[in-house]
mmCIF file of all heavy atoms in Angstrom:
data_model
loop_
_atom_site.group_PDB
_atom_site.id
_atom_site.type_symbol
_atom_site.label_atom_id
_atom_site.label_comp_id
_atom_site.label_asym_id
_atom_site.label_seq_id
_atom_site.Cartn_x
_atom_site.Cartn_y
_atom_site.Cartn_z
ATOM 1 N N ASP A 84 80.241 110.201 116.771
ATOM 2 C CA ASP A 84 79.200 110.741 117.662
ATOM 3 C C ASP A 84 78.038 109.764 117.863
ATOM 4 O O ASP A 84 77.596 109.557 118.998
ATOM 5 C CB ASP A 84 78.698 112.082 117.132
ATOM 6 C CG ASP A 84 79.691 113.207 117.408
ATOM 7 O OD1 ASP A 84 80.465 113.083 118.377
ATOM 8 O OD2 ASP A 84 79.703 114.187 116.650
ATOM 9 N N PRO A 85 77.488 109.126 116.796
ATOM 10 C CA PRO A 85 76.376 108.181 117.016
ATOM 11 C C PRO A 85 76.740 107.005 117.919
ATOM 12 O O PRO A 85 75.947 106.609 118.785
ATOM 13 C CB PRO A 85 76.029 107.706 115.600
ATOM 14 C CG PRO A 85 76.473 108.806 114.712
ATOM 15 C CD PRO A 85 77.705 109.356 115.353
ATOM 16 N N LEU A 86 77.937 106.439 117.741
ATOM 17 C CA LEU A 86 78.332 105.306 118.582
ATOM 18 C C LEU A 86 78.584 105.764 120.014
ATOM 19 O O LEU A 86 78.286 105.030 120.972
ATOM 20 C CB LEU A 86 79.583 104.637 118.009
ATOM 21 C CG LEU A 86 79.406 103.935 116.660
ATOM 22 C CD1 LEU A 86 80.718 103.320 116.199
ATOM 23 C CD2 LEU A 86 78.315 102.872 116.715
ATOM 24 N N ASN A 87 79.125 106.966 120.169
ATOM 25 C CA ASN A 87 79.328 107.510 121.511
ATOM 26 C C ASN A 87 78.000 107.704 122.236
ATOM 27 O O ASN A 87 77.863 107.384 123.419
ATOM 28 C CB ASN A 87 80.090 108.831 121.404
ATOM 29 C CG ASN A 87 80.217 109.546 122.734
ATOM 30 O OD1 ASN A 87 79.421 110.430 123.040
ATOM 31 N ND2 ASN A 87 81.219 109.175 123.516
ATOM 32 N N GLN A 88 76.998 108.188 121.514
ATOM 33 C CA GLN A 88 75.699 108.444 122.120
ATOM 34 C C GLN A 88 74.926 107.162 122.408
ATOM 35 O O GLN A 88 74.275 107.031 123.446
ATOM 36 C CB GLN A 88 74.875 109.358 121.205
ATOM 37 C CG GLN A 88 75.437 110.762 121.070
ATOM 38 C CD GLN A 88 74.781 111.558 119.960
ATOM 39 O OE1 GLN A 88 73.786 111.133 119.382
ATOM 40 N NE2 GLN A 88 75.345 112.718 119.652
ATOM 41 N N GLU A 89 74.994 106.169 121.491
ATOM 42 C CA GLU A 89 74.197 104.953 121.670
ATOM 43 C C GLU A 89 74.804 103.993 122.678
ATOM 44 O O GLU A 89 74.093 103.410 123.509
ATOM 45 C CB GLU A 89 74.013 104.241 120.324
ATOM 46 C CG GLU A 89 73.205 102.957 120.444
ATOM 47 C CD GLU A 89 72.855 102.352 119.089
ATOM 48 O OE1 GLU A 89 72.914 103.086 118.071
ATOM 49 O OE2 GLU A 89 72.525 101.152 119.047
ATOM 50 N N PHE A 90 76.134 103.799 122.608
ATOM 51 C CA PHE A 90 76.768 102.784 123.445
ATOM 52 C C PHE A 90 77.593 103.371 124.593
ATOM 53 O O PHE A 90 78.036 102.627 125.478
ATOM 54 C CB PHE A 90 77.676 101.895 122.590
ATOM 55 C CG PHE A 90 76.944 101.131 121.512
ATOM 56 C CD1 PHE A 90 77.088 101.493 120.171
ATOM 57 C CD2 PHE A 90 76.116 100.068 121.822
ATOM 58 C CE1 PHE A 90 76.421 100.800 119.169
ATOM 59 C CE2 PHE A 90 75.445 99.371 120.828
ATOM 60 C CZ PHE A 90 75.595 99.736 119.499
ATOM 61 N N GLY A 91 77.834 104.691 124.544
ATOM 62 C CA GLY A 91 78.654 105.296 125.587
ATOM 63 C C GLY A 91 80.132 105.036 125.422
ATOM 64 O O GLY A 91 80.920 105.268 126.356
ATOM 65 N N TRP A 92 80.550 104.547 124.250
ATOM 66 C CA TRP A 92 81.972 104.293 124.019
ATOM 67 C C TRP A 92 82.707 105.624 123.890
ATOM 68 O O TRP A 92 82.226 106.561 123.256
ATOM 69 C CB TRP A 92 82.172 103.471 122.749
ATOM 70 C CG TRP A 92 81.493 102.134 122.797
ATOM 71 C CD1 TRP A 92 81.153 101.418 123.896
ATOM 72 C CD2 TRP A 92 81.075 101.358 121.672
ATOM 73 N NE1 TRP A 92 80.544 100.229 123.548
ATOM 74 C CE2 TRP A 92 80.482 100.156 122.170
ATOM 75 C CE3 TRP A 92 81.136 101.522 120.292
ATOM 76 C CZ2 TRP A 92 79.961 99.173 121.347
ATOM 77 C CZ3 TRP A 92 80.622 100.538 119.460
ATOM 78 C CH2 TRP A 92 80.042 99.367 119.987
ATOM 79 N N SER A 93 83.900 105.715 124.455
ATOM 80 C CA SER A 93 84.686 106.946 124.385
ATOM 81 C C SER A 93 85.191 107.163 122.966
ATOM 82 O O SER A 93 85.268 106.225 122.156
ATOM 83 C CB SER A 93 85.864 106.879 125.350
ATOM 84 O OG SER A 93 86.823 105.941 124.891
ATOM 85 N N ARG A 94 85.579 108.395 122.685
ATOM 86 C CA ARG A 94 86.148 108.693 121.376
ATOM 87 C C ARG A 94 87.462 107.947 121.166
ATOM 88 O O ARG A 94 87.806 107.575 120.046
ATOM 89 C CB ARG A 94 86.361 110.203 121.229
ATOM 90 C CG ARG A 94 85.067 111.010 121.207
ATOM 91 C CD ARG A 94 85.342 112.503 121.272
ATOM 92 N NE ARG A 94 84.109 113.260 121.406
ATOM 93 C CZ ARG A 94 83.435 113.780 120.393
ATOM 94 N NH1 ARG A 94 83.885 113.622 119.155
ATOM 95 N NH2 ARG A 94 82.325 114.454 120.601
ATOM 96 N N GLY A 95 88.191 107.728 122.258
ATOM 97 C CA GLY A 95 89.427 106.959 122.147
ATOM 98 C C GLY A 95 89.169 105.519 121.744
ATOM 99 O O GLY A 95 89.894 104.942 120.928
ATOM 100 N N THR A 96 88.111 104.899 122.304
ATOM 101 C CA THR A 96 87.761 103.518 121.943
ATOM 102 C C THR A 96 87.340 103.426 120.485
ATOM 103 O O THR A 96 87.788 102.530 119.744
ATOM 104 C CB THR A 96 86.618 103.014 122.847
ATOM 105 O OG1 THR A 96 87.053 103.016 124.199
ATOM 106 C CG2 THR A 96 86.209 101.604 122.451
ATOM 107 N N ILE A 97 86.483 104.332 120.046
ATOM 108 C CA ILE A 97 86.045 104.330 118.647
ATOM 109 C C ILE A 97 87.224 104.642 117.733
ATOM 110 O O ILE A 97 87.396 104.032 116.674
ATOM 111 C CB ILE A 97 84.904 105.340 118.446
ATOM 112 C CG1 ILE A 97 83.720 104.981 119.350
ATOM 113 C CG2 ILE A 97 84.464 105.365 116.987
ATOM 114 C CD1 ILE A 97 82.674 106.071 119.450
ATOM 115 N N GLY A 98 88.072 105.590 118.183
ATOM 116 C CA GLY A 98 89.266 105.916 117.402
ATOM 117 C C GLY A 98 90.205 104.730 117.272
ATOM 118 O O GLY A 98 90.906 104.583 116.272
ATOM 119 N N ALA A 99 90.228 103.842 118.283
ATOM 120 C CA ALA A 99 91.074 102.647 118.214
ATOM 121 C C ALA A 99 90.622 101.726 117.083
ATOM 122 O O ALA A 99 91.446 101.138 116.363
ATOM 123 C CB ALA A 99 91.052 101.904 119.542
ATOM 124 N N ALA A 100 89.292 101.572 116.907
ATOM 125 C CA ALA A 100 88.787 100.747 115.806
ATOM 126 C C ALA A 100 89.169 101.351 114.459
ATOM 127 O O ALA A 100 89.604 100.648 113.539
ATOM 128 C CB ALA A 100 87.268 100.609 115.910
ATOM 129 N N VAL A 101 89.006 102.666 114.348
ATOM 130 C CA VAL A 101 89.406 103.339 113.115
ATOM 131 C C VAL A 101 90.911 103.196 112.905
ATOM 132 O O VAL A 101 91.394 103.015 111.783
ATOM 133 C CB VAL A 101 88.993 104.826 113.156
ATOM 134 C CG1 VAL A 101 89.456 105.549 111.890
ATOM 135 C CG2 VAL A 101 87.487 104.957 113.299
ATOM 136 N N SER A 102 91.665 103.257 114.008
ATOM 137 C CA SER A 102 93.117 103.134 113.929
ATOM 138 C C SER A 102 93.530 101.760 113.405
ATOM 139 O O SER A 102 94.413 101.640 112.547
ATOM 140 C CB SER A 102 93.719 103.373 115.322
ATOM 141 O OG SER A 102 95.124 103.252 115.290
ATOM 142 N N ILE A 103 92.884 100.699 113.910
ATOM 143 C CA ILE A 103 93.180 99.346 113.411
ATOM 144 C C ILE A 103 92.851 99.250 111.926
ATOM 145 O O ILE A 103 93.620 98.689 111.125
ATOM 146 C CB ILE A 103 92.381 98.298 114.210
ATOM 147 C CG1 ILE A 103 92.876 98.241 115.655
ATOM 148 C CG2 ILE A 103 92.487 96.911 113.560
ATOM 149 C CD1 ILE A 103 92.023 97.379 116.561
ATOM 150 N N ASN A 104 91.707 99.813 111.547
ATOM 151 C CA ASN A 104 91.297 99.816 110.140
ATOM 152 C C ASN A 104 92.353 100.483 109.277
ATOM 153 O O ASN A 104 92.778 99.947 108.241
ATOM 154 C CB ASN A 104 89.949 100.547 110.027
ATOM 155 C CG ASN A 104 89.430 100.650 108.612
ATOM 156 O OD1 ASN A 104 90.044 101.292 107.775
ATOM 157 N ND2 ASN A 104 88.285 100.043 108.347
ATOM 158 N N LEU A 105 92.799 101.675 109.675
ATOM 159 C CA LEU A 105 93.765 102.424 108.880
ATOM 160 C C LEU A 105 95.120 101.727 108.823
ATOM 161 O O LEU A 105 95.774 101.695 107.774
ATOM 162 C CB LEU A 105 93.921 103.832 109.459
ATOM 163 C CG LEU A 105 92.695 104.753 109.352
ATOM 164 C CD1 LEU A 105 92.927 106.042 110.115
ATOM 165 C CD2 LEU A 105 92.374 105.042 107.892
ATOM 166 N N ALA A 106 95.545 101.150 109.958
ATOM 167 C CA ALA A 106 96.827 100.463 109.984
ATOM 168 C C ALA A 106 96.817 99.239 109.071
ATOM 169 O O ALA A 106 97.748 99.017 108.282
ATOM 170 C CB ALA A 106 97.177 100.056 111.414
ATOM 171 N N LEU A 107 95.755 98.429 109.155
ATOM 172 C CA LEU A 107 95.661 97.249 108.294
ATOM 173 C C LEU A 107 95.502 97.631 106.829
ATOM 174 O O LEU A 107 95.993 96.928 105.942
ATOM 175 C CB LEU A 107 94.493 96.367 108.740
ATOM 176 C CG LEU A 107 94.707 95.605 110.050
ATOM 177 C CD1 LEU A 107 93.436 94.853 110.438
ATOM 178 C CD2 LEU A 107 95.872 94.634 109.911
ATOM 179 N N TYR A 108 94.820 98.748 106.577
ATOM 180 C CA TYR A 108 94.703 99.263 105.209
ATOM 181 C C TYR A 108 96.081 99.423 104.585
ATOM 182 O O TYR A 108 96.294 99.100 103.410
ATOM 183 C CB TYR A 108 93.969 100.599 105.249
ATOM 184 C CG TYR A 108 93.803 101.297 103.916
ATOM 185 C CD1 TYR A 108 92.699 101.049 103.124
ATOM 186 C CD2 TYR A 108 94.729 102.222 103.472
ATOM 187 C CE1 TYR A 108 92.532 101.690 101.912
ATOM 188 C CE2 TYR A 108 94.577 102.880 102.271
ATOM 189 C CZ TYR A 108 93.477 102.612 101.487
ATOM 190 O OH TYR A 108 93.324 103.252 100.289
ATOM 191 N N GLY A 109 97.033 99.905 105.389
ATOM 192 C CA GLY A 109 98.380 100.086 104.863
ATOM 193 C C GLY A 109 99.222 98.826 104.921
ATOM 194 O O GLY A 109 99.908 98.480 103.960
ATOM 195 N N LEU A 110 99.180 98.102 106.037
ATOM 196 C CA LEU A 110 100.058 96.950 106.201
ATOM 197 C C LEU A 110 99.699 95.797 105.277
ATOM 198 O O LEU A 110 100.539 94.959 104.955
ATOM 199 C CB LEU A 110 100.018 96.479 107.663
ATOM 200 C CG LEU A 110 100.608 97.464 108.673
ATOM 201 C CD1 LEU A 110 100.352 96.988 110.098
ATOM 202 C CD2 LEU A 110 102.104 97.649 108.435
ATOM 203 N N THR A 111 98.436 95.727 104.847
ATOM 204 C CA THR A 111 98.020 94.667 103.922
ATOM 205 C C THR A 111 98.451 94.959 102.493
ATOM 206 O O THR A 111 98.639 94.036 101.693
ATOM 207 C CB THR A 111 96.481 94.509 103.968
ATOM 208 O OG1 THR A 111 96.066 94.305 105.310
ATOM 209 C CG2 THR A 111 96.019 93.326 103.131
ATOM 210 N N ALA A 112 98.638 96.227 102.158
ATOM 211 C CA ALA A 112 98.865 96.637 100.769
ATOM 212 C C ALA A 112 100.049 95.944 100.099
ATOM 213 O O ALA A 112 99.914 95.436 98.973
ATOM 214 C CB ALA A 112 99.006 98.158 100.694
ATOM 215 N N PRO A 113 101.250 95.889 100.710
ATOM 216 C CA PRO A 113 102.363 95.249 100.000
ATOM 217 C C PRO A 113 102.138 93.763 99.759
ATOM 218 O O PRO A 113 102.538 93.224 98.721
ATOM 219 C CB PRO A 113 103.563 95.496 100.928
ATOM 220 C CG PRO A 113 102.963 95.797 102.260
ATOM 221 C CD PRO A 113 101.670 96.473 101.984
ATOM 222 N N PHE A 114 101.475 93.077 100.707
ATOM 223 C CA PHE A 114 101.177 91.659 100.512
ATOM 224 C C PHE A 114 100.123 91.486 99.418
ATOM 225 O O PHE A 114 100.167 90.537 98.643
ATOM 226 C CB PHE A 114 100.711 91.033 101.824
ATOM 227 C CG PHE A 114 101.752 91.046 102.893
ATOM 228 C CD1 PHE A 114 101.776 92.046 103.859
ATOM 229 C CD2 PHE A 114 102.744 90.079 102.931
ATOM 230 C CE1 PHE A 114 102.742 92.067 104.842
ATOM 231 C CE2 PHE A 114 103.726 90.080 103.913
ATOM 232 C CZ PHE A 114 103.732 91.087 104.873
ATOM 233 N N ALA A 115 99.173 92.428 99.346
ATOM 234 C CA ALA A 115 98.167 92.370 98.291
ATOM 235 C C ALA A 115 98.805 92.548 96.922
ATOM 236 O O ALA A 115 98.435 91.873 95.951
ATOM 237 C CB ALA A 115 97.095 93.437 98.520
ATOM 238 N N ALA A 116 99.782 93.464 96.827
ATOM 239 C CA ALA A 116 100.477 93.656 95.547
ATOM 240 C C ALA A 116 101.201 92.380 95.127
ATOM 241 O O ALA A 116 101.182 91.997 93.950
ATOM 242 C CB ALA A 116 101.465 94.821 95.660
ATOM 243 N N ALA A 117 101.831 91.706 96.097
ATOM 244 C CA ALA A 117 102.492 90.438 95.783
ATOM 245 C C ALA A 117 101.471 89.359 95.431
ATOM 246 O O ALA A 117 101.707 88.527 94.531
ATOM 247 C CB ALA A 117 103.356 89.997 96.965
ATOM 248 N N LEU A 118 100.329 89.335 96.118
ATOM 249 C CA LEU A 118 99.279 88.366 95.791
ATOM 250 C C LEU A 118 98.732 88.591 94.377
ATOM 251 O O LEU A 118 98.372 87.638 93.689
ATOM 252 C CB LEU A 118 98.148 88.458 96.816
ATOM 253 C CG LEU A 118 98.427 87.852 98.200
ATOM 254 C CD1 LEU A 118 97.299 88.210 99.155
ATOM 255 C CD2 LEU A 118 98.583 86.332 98.094
ATOM 256 N N MET A 119 98.660 89.846 93.961
ATOM 257 C CA MET A 119 98.209 90.131 92.591
ATOM 258 C C MET A 119 99.189 89.562 91.570
ATOM 259 O O MET A 119 98.789 89.111 90.494
ATOM 260 C CB MET A 119 98.046 91.641 92.395
ATOM 261 C CG MET A 119 96.859 92.223 93.133
ATOM 262 S SD MET A 119 96.746 94.019 92.962
ATOM 263 C CE MET A 119 95.447 94.380 94.158
ATOM 264 N N ASP A 120 100.478 89.582 91.894
ATOM 265 C CA ASP A 120 101.465 88.963 91.008
ATOM 266 C C ASP A 120 101.318 87.446 90.990
ATOM 267 O O ASP A 120 101.629 86.795 89.992
ATOM 268 C CB ASP A 120 102.890 89.324 91.456
ATOM 269 C CG ASP A 120 103.230 90.777 91.180
ATOM 270 O OD1 ASP A 120 102.557 91.391 90.323
ATOM 271 O OD2 ASP A 120 104.169 91.299 91.810
ATOM 272 N N ARG A 121 100.841 86.880 92.088
ATOM 273 C CA ARG A 121 100.734 85.414 92.195
ATOM 274 C C ARG A 121 99.414 84.888 91.646
ATOM 275 O O ARG A 121 99.385 83.931 90.874
ATOM 276 C CB ARG A 121 100.891 85.001 93.676
ATOM 277 C CG ARG A 121 100.699 83.512 93.939
ATOM 278 C CD ARG A 121 101.816 82.708 93.305
ATOM 279 N NE ARG A 121 101.667 81.291 93.560
ATOM 280 C CZ ARG A 121 100.985 80.449 92.793
ATOM 281 N NH1 ARG A 121 100.352 80.900 91.720
ATOM 282 N NH2 ARG A 121 100.933 79.167 93.090
ATOM 283 N N PHE A 122 98.297 85.516 92.029
ATOM 284 C CA PHE A 122 96.976 84.985 91.692
ATOM 285 C C PHE A 122 96.198 85.844 90.703
ATOM 286 O O PHE A 122 95.133 85.431 90.249
ATOM 287 C CB PHE A 122 96.143 84.813 92.972
ATOM 288 C CG PHE A 122 96.723 83.837 93.951
ATOM 289 C CD1 PHE A 122 97.337 84.285 95.112
ATOM 290 C CD2 PHE A 122 96.683 82.480 93.706
ATOM 291 C CE1 PHE A 122 97.877 83.395 96.021
ATOM 292 C CE2 PHE A 122 97.223 81.578 94.610
ATOM 293 C CZ PHE A 122 97.824 82.037 95.769
ATOM 294 N N GLY A 123 96.682 87.026 90.399
ATOM 295 C CA GLY A 123 95.980 87.906 89.463
ATOM 296 C C GLY A 123 95.190 88.985 90.172
ATOM 297 O O GLY A 123 94.759 88.820 91.317
ATOM 298 N N ILE A 124 95.007 90.086 89.468
ATOM 299 C CA ILE A 124 94.322 91.245 90.049
ATOM 300 C C ILE A 124 92.868 90.926 90.350
ATOM 301 O O ILE A 124 92.333 91.262 91.406
ATOM 302 C CB ILE A 124 94.424 92.440 89.084
ATOM 303 C CG1 ILE A 124 95.882 92.849 88.896
ATOM 304 C CG2 ILE A 124 93.619 93.618 89.608
ATOM 305 C CD1 ILE A 124 96.081 93.926 87.849
ATOM 306 N N ARG A 125 92.182 90.262 89.410
ATOM 307 C CA ARG A 125 90.739 90.042 89.560
ATOM 308 C C ARG A 125 90.399 89.277 90.829
ATOM 309 O O ARG A 125 89.492 89.649 91.578
ATOM 310 C CB ARG A 125 90.185 89.297 88.350
ATOM 311 C CG ARG A 125 90.100 90.119 87.086
ATOM 312 C CD ARG A 125 89.237 89.428 86.064
ATOM 313 N NE ARG A 125 89.728 88.095 85.754
ATOM 314 C CZ ARG A 125 89.051 87.183 85.042
ATOM 315 N NH1 ARG A 125 87.842 87.480 84.604
ATOM 316 N NH2 ARG A 125 89.553 86.003 84.776
ATOM 317 N N ARG A 126 91.113 88.191 91.075
ATOM 318 C CA ARG A 126 90.790 87.356 92.231
ATOM 319 C C ARG A 126 91.017 88.104 93.541
ATOM 320 O O ARG A 126 90.189 88.034 94.462
ATOM 321 C CB ARG A 126 91.634 86.088 92.206
ATOM 322 C CG ARG A 126 91.285 85.145 91.059
ATOM 323 C CD ARG A 126 92.177 83.920 91.089
ATOM 324 N NE ARG A 126 91.863 83.004 89.999
ATOM 325 C CZ ARG A 126 92.522 81.881 89.763
ATOM 326 N NH1 ARG A 126 93.529 81.528 90.558
ATOM 327 N NH2 ARG A 126 92.190 81.094 88.757
ATOM 328 N N VAL A 127 92.137 88.813 93.624
ATOM 329 C CA VAL A 127 92.462 89.515 94.869
ATOM 330 C C VAL A 127 91.455 90.628 95.136
ATOM 331 O O VAL A 127 90.944 90.779 96.257
ATOM 332 C CB VAL A 127 93.896 90.080 94.803
ATOM 333 C CG1 VAL A 127 94.185 90.940 96.030
ATOM 334 C CG2 VAL A 127 94.910 88.940 94.720
ATOM 335 N N VAL A 128 91.130 91.411 94.115
ATOM 336 C CA VAL A 128 90.227 92.554 94.312
ATOM 337 C C VAL A 128 88.806 92.086 94.602
ATOM 338 O O VAL A 128 88.123 92.635 95.476
ATOM 339 C CB VAL A 128 90.267 93.483 93.080
ATOM 340 C CG1 VAL A 128 89.210 94.581 93.193
ATOM 341 C CG2 VAL A 128 91.655 94.098 92.941
ATOM 342 N N ALA A 129 88.335 91.063 93.895
ATOM 343 C CA ALA A 129 86.989 90.542 94.161
ATOM 344 C C ALA A 129 86.886 90.004 95.587
ATOM 345 O O ALA A 129 85.891 90.228 96.290
ATOM 346 C CB ALA A 129 86.641 89.454 93.152
ATOM 347 N N GLY A 130 87.915 89.293 96.043
ATOM 348 C CA GLY A 130 87.923 88.799 97.416
ATOM 349 C C GLY A 130 87.946 89.926 98.430
ATOM 350 O O GLY A 130 87.276 89.857 99.469
ATOM 351 N N ALA A 131 88.693 90.980 98.142
ATOM 352 C CA ALA A 131 88.778 92.117 99.058
ATOM 353 C C ALA A 131 87.433 92.818 99.194
ATOM 354 O O ALA A 131 87.013 93.184 100.302
ATOM 355 C CB ALA A 131 89.835 93.099 98.566
ATOM 356 N N LEU A 132 86.746 93.018 98.082
ATOM 357 C CA LEU A 132 85.430 93.665 98.129
ATOM 358 C C LEU A 132 84.431 92.839 98.938
ATOM 359 O O LEU A 132 83.619 93.380 99.695
ATOM 360 C CB LEU A 132 84.913 93.877 96.711
ATOM 361 C CG LEU A 132 85.618 94.960 95.888
ATOM 362 C CD1 LEU A 132 85.234 94.848 94.417
ATOM 363 C CD2 LEU A 132 85.292 96.341 96.420
ATOM 364 N N THR A 133 84.499 91.525 98.788
ATOM 365 C CA THR A 133 83.614 90.641 99.554
ATOM 366 C C THR A 133 83.894 90.748 101.051
ATOM 367 O O THR A 133 82.972 90.764 101.874
ATOM 368 C CB THR A 133 83.783 89.192 99.084
ATOM 369 O OG1 THR A 133 83.534 89.112 97.666
ATOM 370 C CG2 THR A 133 82.818 88.274 99.810
ATOM 371 N N LEU A 134 85.176 90.842 101.410
ATOM 372 C CA LEU A 134 85.546 90.959 102.820
ATOM 373 C C LEU A 134 85.059 92.287 103.411
ATOM 374 O O LEU A 134 84.583 92.343 104.552
ATOM 375 C CB LEU A 134 87.065 90.843 102.965
ATOM 376 C CG LEU A 134 87.612 90.538 104.364
ATOM 377 C CD1 LEU A 134 87.036 89.234 104.900
ATOM 378 C CD2 LEU A 134 89.134 90.470 104.332
ATOM 379 N N ILE A 135 85.162 93.364 102.623
ATOM 380 C CA ILE A 135 84.649 94.666 103.068
ATOM 381 C C ILE A 135 83.147 94.585 103.325
ATOM 382 O O ILE A 135 82.637 95.075 104.343
ATOM 383 C CB ILE A 135 84.950 95.748 102.010
ATOM 384 C CG1 ILE A 135 86.455 96.041 101.966
ATOM 385 C CG2 ILE A 135 84.181 97.033 102.315
ATOM 386 C CD1 ILE A 135 86.863 96.904 100.792
ATOM 387 N N ALA A 136 82.436 93.969 102.394
ATOM 388 C CA ALA A 136 80.985 93.839 102.541
ATOM 389 C C ALA A 136 80.632 93.035 103.790
ATOM 390 O O ALA A 136 79.695 93.382 104.537
ATOM 391 C CB ALA A 136 80.387 93.177 101.302
ATOM 392 N N LEU A 137 81.370 91.962 104.055
ATOM 393 C CA LEU A 137 81.111 91.133 105.232
ATOM 394 C C LEU A 137 81.334 91.917 106.524
ATOM 395 O O LEU A 137 80.483 91.933 107.425
ATOM 396 C CB LEU A 137 82.017 89.900 105.202
ATOM 397 C CG LEU A 137 81.904 88.933 106.381
ATOM 398 C CD1 LEU A 137 80.520 88.306 106.427
ATOM 399 C CD2 LEU A 137 82.981 87.857 106.294
ATOM 400 N N GLY A 138 82.478 92.588 106.616
ATOM 401 C CA GLY A 138 82.793 93.323 107.833
ATOM 402 C C GLY A 138 81.825 94.460 108.097
ATOM 403 O O GLY A 138 81.364 94.661 109.227
ATOM 404 N N SER A 139 81.486 95.204 107.052
ATOM 405 C CA SER A 139 80.562 96.321 107.224
ATOM 406 C C SER A 139 79.156 95.831 107.560
ATOM 407 O O SER A 139 78.469 96.411 108.409
ATOM 408 C CB SER A 139 80.543 97.176 105.958
ATOM 409 O OG SER A 139 79.718 98.296 106.116
#
Side-chain angles (χ1 to χ4, degrees):
D84 284 334
L86 293 180
N87 174 264
Q88 293 168 9
E89 179 172 341
F90 298 108
W92 300 336
S93 70
R94 294 171 187 266
T96 298
I97 301 168
V101 178
S102 180
I103 293 172
N104 179 296
L105 293 173
L107 288 176
Y108 178 89
L110 294 172
T111 306
F114 297 97
L118 285 171
M119 289 177 189
D120 289 340
R121 176 67 179 89
F122 298 106
I124 297 174
R125 288 194 303 169
R126 292 179 180 177
V127 174
V128 173
L132 288 167
T133 304
L134 197 58
I135 290 170
L137 179 64
S139 183

